[in-house]
Amino acid sequence: MTWRTVKALADAASPEELFWGQWQGRPSVLDEYKSYLDDRWNEGCTNAWKLWEEIVPLGYQGSYQRVRVYLRQKRASPRPVTAQPPSPRTVAGWILRRPTTLSEAEQLQLKTVLAHCPELDALTQHVRAFAVMLTERQGERLPDWLDAVRQDDLPSLHTFAAGIDRDRDAVIAGLTLPWNSGVVEGHVNRIKMLKRQMFGRAGFSLLRKRVLLA
C-alpha cells in the first residue's frame, strides 16, 4: 500500500470516513423510498421492520438490513439524515409522463416534491391539462386553459400562453382537427439530409435527381 492509503486508514475515526472515491454517492435500491421513510420517521414511526414491511408493497426489492442501516444513521447522526432530493430532470420527467405510467414509488416522490412547492404543483396541473387537450383533440378547452394559466404566478408559462394566444385559431384547429403537417415536415427533413450528404459540392440539378429518384 502507498503511504497515502496507510495515512487515510490511520486517520479515519470511523468506517464511514473511508467511503470516498468510487463509493461516494453510489446509488442504492433504497434511494427511491428514502423520502417515504423520512416522512414516516418524522411522523414518529422509527421501527425498521415495520417500515420495511410498508415499502415492500410499494415495489422495494432490497433487504431489511438496508432499511435498518439507514435508520441507524438517522439515530446516530447529530444532524437529520434525509434522502437526496431528485434532480430537476427527474422531476420534469415525472410531470411530463402519463400519471398511469408512474410507479407507486415515483408517484409518492412526486407527491412529496409538489407538497413542498405550490408553484410546481400548479405547473403540473397545467401541463397535464394541456397534454389531455393535445392527445385527445380537445381544442375547445384551450381558452379556459389560457385563462387558468394567467391566474397563477408562473411567468415562464405566461410567455408560452401569450405565444399561443397570438395564433389562437390555428392552435385550436391543430388541437381539434385530425390533419397536420407531419408528412410535409418529413419530406423537408429528407431533402435536408440529402443536401447535407453532398457536402454542398453539388448543384440543384443533382439534388433534384436524388429527390425524384429516391
Side-chain angles (χ1 to χ4, degrees):
M1 290 186 293
T2 64
W3 68 270
R4 292 186 179 86
T5 303
V6 175
K7 186 175 186 303
L9 295 171
D11 294 343
S14 64
E16 288 74 15
E17 295 184 11
L18 299 176
F19 297 153
W20 53 275
Q22 62 177 336
W23 302 101
Q24 190 173 10
R26 190 171 184 176
S28 168
V29 295
L30 188 63
D31 290 344
E32 296 183 2
Y33 308 91
K34 286 181 178 179
S35 59
Y36 177 84
L37 296 177
D38 294 340
D39 292 339
R40 296 287 288 126
W41 177 276
N42 295 331
E43 292 174 0
C45 182
T46 60
N47 186 287
W49 184 267
K50 177 174 176 56
L51 293 176
W52 174 73
E53 290 181 332
E54 291 182 5
I55 63 176
V56 167
L58 299 179
Y60 175 67
Q61 299 180 355
S63 65
Y64 157 74
Q65 297 298 330
R66 290 181 181 271
V67 179
R68 186 171 64 88
V69 170
Y70 180 68
L71 296 183
R72 181 190 298 170
Q73 294 176 356
K74 295 178 72 69
R75 293 189 181 94
S77 177
R79 293 180 298 177
V81 177
T82 58
Q84 183 177 2
S87 65
R89 176 175 295 183
T90 300
V91 176
W94 294 338
I95 294 175
L96 295 175
R97 284 165 55 189
R98 291 180 180 269
T100 54
T101 63
L102 299 177
S103 64
E104 292 188 12
E106 290 172 337
Q107 293 179 10
L108 184 62
Q109 287 183 289
L110 179 59
K111 182 179 179 181
T112 303
V113 171
L114 299 183
H116 289 81
C117 183
E119 292 81 4
L120 196 58
D121 188 15
L123 176 64
T124 302
Q125 296 179 15
H126 294 313
V127 168
R128 290 181 172 175
F130 190 86
V132 171
M133 287 192 297
L134 182 64
T135 56
E136 299 183 6
R137 295 178 182 171
Q138 299 178 355
E140 68 278 0
R141 298 174 52 186
L142 182 63
D144 295 335
W145 183 84
L146 293 173
D147 293 338
V149 168
R150 295 190 185 96
Q151 294 177 5
D152 291 324
D153 186 16
L154 300 171
S156 299
L157 198 57
H158 289 174
T159 304
F160 176 71
I164 291 179
D165 206 14
R166 284 194 295 268
D167 204 6
R168 178 182 294 200
D169 293 339
V171 176
I172 292 178
L175 294 174
T176 307
L177 302 177
W179 302 286
N180 59 71
S181 61
V183 177
V184 177
E185 294 296 334
H187 286 302
V188 171
N189 185 68
R190 181 170 62 89
I191 293 173
K192 289 182 178 179
M193 180 192 67
L194 294 174
K195 184 178 179 181
R196 293 189 184 100
Q197 288 177 345
M198 297 187 294
F199 300 102
R201 298 180 180 180
F204 177 76
S205 58
L206 178 58
L207 177 62
R208 180 176 182 273
K209 288 184 178 180
R210 291 199 61 183
V211 171
L212 294 179
L213 298 179

